């Protein structure tokens, strides 16, 4: 595929970007994996209920995503500007892992633009269709205008749409450029874009690549690595809303600068009244 489609985004990250299993903690790690795995087994079958149109659905979506993250041993530290109640907003963030979906969903739930292969996954494919994932076939450039049209239509209807404009996952220490194509949807619909700066850290505040989903990683090996760690903190920094303007490339560049800005101050704990708030 990559030979036929040289335009496909490709990360330079490899398997050596992520750590191996923690040494000398086999029993503790196994116990943690069993307990967290049991909780996840109870939660994941409830995911289709997120598609049921009931009052307060967005609140329940956030709570569900936070519950899944807790089972994974991940807490969210939210900082930056307020999350504004804007009708029809395109949410963009850097892409590190499948975990990003739950992290963003715990803050700003919406429809996700995801790779079309997900619809063919056993069980998860059915769930993806239920929650109205917008599939994007990265191997078929001719279908891209159709995806942009779908995103623009949902934005006009007042829906929140989440996209990862890098087009592939990176380890979190390295990053890719934001591709401008999906930003055309915000320009066409004349809807604002909400950039989120997303990063993962260990419990000491150091940048962590444990959640990264890169290289030849499998979902199982990635999940096992995430749950084997005692705690990971996902920092979500809410940047200023970006007006769409008329140039998708300029809009993409603005949002990339916002997402790649200076890292927020280390978050050790959530003090009452602090601007940094643990929400999960």
């Amino acid at each position: 595929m990559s030979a036929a489609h040289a335009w496909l985004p490709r990360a330079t990250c490899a398997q050596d970007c992520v750590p191996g299993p923690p040494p000398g903690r086999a029993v503790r790690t196994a116990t943690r994996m069993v307990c967290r795995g049991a909780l996840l087994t109870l939660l994941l079958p409830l995911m289709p209920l997120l598609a049921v149109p009931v009052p307060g659905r967005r609140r329940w979506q956030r709570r569900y995503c936070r519950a899944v993250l807790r089972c994974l041993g991940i807490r969210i530290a939210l900082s930056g500007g307020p999350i504004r109640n804007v009708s029809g907003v395109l949410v963009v963030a850097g892409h590190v892992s499948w975990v990003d979906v739950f992290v963003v969903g715990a803050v700003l739930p919406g429809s996700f633009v995801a790779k079309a292969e997900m619809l063919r996954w056993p069980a998860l494919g059915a769930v993806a269709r239920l929650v109205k994932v917008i599939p994007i076939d990265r191997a078929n450039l001719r279908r891209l205008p159709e995806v942009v049209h779908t995103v623009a239509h949902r934005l006009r209807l007042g829906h929140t749409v989440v996209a990862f404009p890098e087009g592939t996952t990176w380890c979190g220490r390295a990053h890719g450029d934001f591709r401008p194509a999906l930003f055309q949807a915000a320009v066409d619909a004349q809807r604002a874009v909400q950039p989120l700066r997303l990063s993962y850290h260990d419990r000491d505040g150091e940048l962590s690549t444990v959640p990264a989903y890169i290289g030849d990683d499998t979902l199982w090996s990635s999940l096992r690595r995430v749950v084997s760690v005692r705690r990971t903190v996902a920092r979500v920094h809410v940047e200023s809303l970006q007006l769409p303007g008329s140039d998708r490339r300029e809009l993409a560049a603005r949002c990339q600068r916002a997402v790649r800005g200076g890292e927020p101050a280390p978050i050790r704990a959530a003090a009452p009244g602090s601007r940094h708030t643990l929400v999960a």
Side-chain angles (χ1 to χ4, degrees):
M1 181 184 298
S2 58
H5 299 279
W7 55 269
L8 280 174
R10 276 174 266 169
T12 56
C13 303
Q15 205 61 39
D16 56 3
C17 290
V18 297
R25 300 178 184 176
V27 175
R28 186 183 303 177
T29 299
T31 302
R32 190 178 294 139
M33 289 176 62
V34 169
C35 294
R36 291 177 175 174
L39 292 172
L40 279 172
T41 301
L42 294 174
L43 273 177
L44 290 180
L46 300 177
M47 190 179 291
L49 296 178
L50 299 180
V52 178
V54 296
R57 182 172 63 173
R58 287 172 62 87
R59 182 174 67 253
W60 287 110
Q61 287 174 331
R62 286 194 292 267
R63 289 178 178 177
Y64 178 86
C65 288
R66 292 172 190 175
V68 171
L69 292 171
R70 281 185 175 272
C71 292
L72 296 173
I74 297 174
R75 300 294 185 267
I76 296 180
L78 184 63
S79 65
I83 298 174
R84 303 188 183 279
N85 186 19
V86 178
S87 176
V89 63
L90 177 64
V91 180
V92 297
H95 204 9
V96 176
S97 171
W98 54 272
V99 180
D100 302 344
V101 172
F102 294 102
V103 173
V104 176
V107 177
L108 268 171
S111 302
F112 283 83
V113 179
K115 59 183 182 180
E117 301 96 287
M118 179 182 292
L119 299 182
R120 297 191 291 271
W121 289 357
L124 285 179
V127 172
R129 285 187 288 270
L130 278 172
V131 297
K132 298 182 179 179
V133 163
I134 302 171
I136 180 169
D137 187 352
R138 301 189 308 155
N140 190 346
L141 188 60
R142 294 179 180 178
R143 298 291 300 275
L144 191 55
E146 180 182 333
V147 175
V148 172
H149 175 77
T150 301
V151 174
H153 177 66
R154 294 198 187 179
L155 293 176
R156 290 190 187 100
L157 292 177
H159 298 174
T160 299
V161 179
V162 183
F164 301 104
E166 287 171 300
T168 189
T169 52
W170 295 71
C171 71
R173 298 185 185 277
H175 310 285
D177 290 331
F178 277 13
R179 302 299 175 103
L182 287 176
F183 290 93
Q184 185 63 45
V187 173
D188 291 345
Q190 282 299 288
R191 292 294 192 267
V193 181
Q194 175 63 76
L196 298 179
R197 192 190 315 161
L198 173 61
S199 59
Y200 295 94
H201 301 260
D202 61 29
R203 57 183 182 147
D204 295 323
E206 298 297 322
L207 193 67
S208 172
T209 60
V210 166
Y213 185 56
I214 53 176
D216 296 325
D217 228 350
T218 64
L219 184 59
W220 167 245
S221 64
S222 174
L223 176 62
R224 183 174 55 185
R225 186 171 59 248
V226 170
V227 299
S228 68
V229 176
R230 181 175 179 182
R231 173 173 291 190
T232 298
V233 177
R235 295 185 185 176
V236 182
H237 191 78
V238 181
E239 298 290 345
S240 300
L241 278 172
Q242 301 293 316
L243 297 178
S246 58
D247 186 338
R248 68 184 182 188
R249 294 185 182 278
E250 189 271 337
L251 177 58
R254 268 193 283 134
C255 292
Q256 180 173 318
R257 285 195 299 270
V259 169
R260 302 295 176 226
E263 292 291 335
I267 304 169
R268 305 296 182 184
S274 171
R275 192 168 179 237
H276 297 98
T277 308
L278 285 174
V279 297

